[in-house]
Amino acid sequence: MIALLEAHRAGLLKRQHWLPNIVSGAIVGVVALPLAMAFAIASGAKPEQGLYTAIVAGLLVSVFGGSRLQIAGPTGAFIVILSGITARYGIDGLQIATLMAGVILLLLGLAKLGGIIKFIPAPVIVGFTAGIGVIIWVGQWKDFFGLPAVAGTHFHEKLWHLLQVLPQLHLSTTALALTGLLLVLLTPRVPGMQRVPGPLVALVGVTLLQALCQFEGVATIGSAFGGIPQTLPQLQLPQLSVARIIELLGPAFTIAMLGAIESLLSAVVADGMAGTRHNANQELIGQGLANAIVPFFGGFAATGAIARTATNIRNGGTSPLSGIVHALTLVLVVLVLAPLAIHVPLAALAAILFVVAWNMSEARHFAQMVRRAPRADVVILLTTFCLTVFADLVVAVNIGVILATLHFLRRMASSVEVRAASGEALDQDLAAEGLVTPPPGVLVYTIDGPFFFGAVENFERALANTHTDPRILIIRLRWVPFIDITALQTLEGVIDELHSRGVRVMLSGANDRVQGKLERAGIIERIGASHNFKTFDAALARCNALLRQDPAPATESPVVLSNGMAVMPETGPLVR
């Protein structure tokens, strides 16, 4: 359900709820002001484009999203991807890729694929967010220290060149940046200032210093971009073409993938803080609409912002009204305060991004995971982190997910037991038939766990341990929740092999889902419907009937040992 309609049905849009949501929305709008400009500049766009993105995307996600508390806009997680797209394809290419990403997100939501994102493992998420934090931090050295532009495509090249020119730092720029950094960090610790946004204090404080002192050589929004227009965004149409769409298909999928992950993570955080429950598919639809529309108003990619969403909740936001007010607050800022932006030093925005990068890195959580997580998860974490920093975010996430999936499949396969049945459970089933051991010539095997391609080797190895062919083999499927085509093909081959050696095969206990697959695969037809049973008792009764019709020497019957091996006894097993 659309969060706005849900809030209306819950009575959260009634007049008594207006004030806390208006106050929270105004505070979040103030917090979003420096962040939107900083993220835009770091992404290769103009500062006003960051504000336009926060206004349009923030409004649309609040109205059409699946979380009543979500605040959307430019985010730090996008910086690495968007700056690379802008450098290669230009700002118009970034906007076209954003439009395409919006359509992809919209389709994902309509196809109800929102739940898939939750299966990305924690080591992958922590690894790539920490890697993004490192890249953002190093990427802001130029503006923080007032360094000359450096060349280099890859992270290690840029880092090496930055280290080489670091002695050329601009003292006034560095002093302003350090002042801004201290203001961001210390403002929440000052009594009575806990609810005042540190980034806003840093932005205003450092801007006033530069406006009053006019330090030479300090780059500002005015010197770098000519200021911010005192107007609302105008409708503009991206220059679309088939060739351009094909060229930007890869970047669009990258934006969509990261946007989906970031927005749904933010919605989960909001649920944990406020006790709400978001609709993942509707959230993707809202994010898709926002990203598909925002390029027409000069903006670029947006997603759910975890820090701003948390600020919204902490300040009393309870409905999408706070997100709408957040967008309107930014509209007022653009219309009233835009001329003052010419004095904002880029160093102040770099200081704010230093803190954003630290928060994104989750350094303490990262170190804790390295110390305490299982070894395989640590390998996945470090692999994803290193690939994010030194290779590419998409490559990092893909390889991280693949490694996590392979590790999971290995653990799943090792947990599936295929064994010759023994123990108390089998004794109880035999006692129901008046038996104390399996009937002569009968061997029972149990499959415990999902019978899928990863467990096929266990099945084949277990059967290979049966050194003497029984007359009848019962395969118990009672504890098999599902079966895949690889297992079905393997089972078919085993049945054919055993039939060729004169061994009857019976199946028992398959659930309805597994039974349907066995029938569609022709397994039931292969063994005969009279050899497929709902219960193990029925299978044992059928074995007894067959053996009475065609008795065999007791010495041909294997005995099931506790270690899962089948051997020939010296005397026949005890029956009734």
Side-chain angles (χ1 to χ4, degrees), residues 133-148 150 155 158-166 169-170 173-174 177 346-347 350-351 353-354:
V134 170
I135 295 173
I136 292 173
W137 176 60
V138 173
Q140 292 305 304
W141 285 15
K142 175 182 174 296
D143 291 333
F144 191 94
F145 297 109
L147 302 175
V150 297
F155 174 82
K158 294 178 181 178
L159 177 60
W160 176 244
H161 291 153
L162 284 168
L163 290 172
Q164 288 180 316
V165 299
L166 191 57
L169 61 85
H170 189 266
T173 300
T174 304
L346 299 185
L353 287 180
F354 264 34

Side-chain angles (χ1 to χ4, degrees), residues 313-443:
I313 297 169
R314 291 193 190 103
N315 286 280
T318 59
S319 76
L321 179 61
S322 59
I324 296 171
V325 172
H326 141 266
L328 295 177
T329 301
L330 290 173
V331 170
L332 291 176
V333 168
V334 171
L335 294 178
V336 177
L337 301 178
L340 302 179
I342 60 172
H343 299 295
V344 175
L346 299 185
L349 300 179
I352 293 170
L353 287 180
F354 264 34
V355 178
V356 170
W358 171 258
N359 292 335
M360 282 193 64
S361 69
E362 296 185 277
R364 294 185 182 88
H365 182 46
F366 186 94
Q368 185 182 63
M369 188 173 286
V370 170
R371 290 195 306 269
R372 299 181 180 178
R375 187 177 302 172
D377 291 325
V378 173
V379 171
I380 294 169
L381 171 70
L382 296 177
T383 300
T384 305
F385 172 78
C386 291
L387 288 173
T388 300
V389 174
F390 296 105
D392 178 79
L393 175 63
V394 178
V395 172
V397 173
N398 287 340
I399 291 181
V401 170
I402 290 171
L403 289 176
T405 302
L406 292 176
H407 176 56
F408 171 75
L409 290 175
R410 185 181 67 83
R411 287 189 296 183
M412 282 289 292
S414 64
S415 69
V416 177
E417 291 187 88
V418 183
R419 64 187 184 278
S422 61
E424 294 183 4
L426 180 59
D427 291 342
Q428 292 174 2
D429 292 330
L430 292 171
E433 285 296 304
L435 306 175
V436 293
T437 60
V442 176
L443 184 60

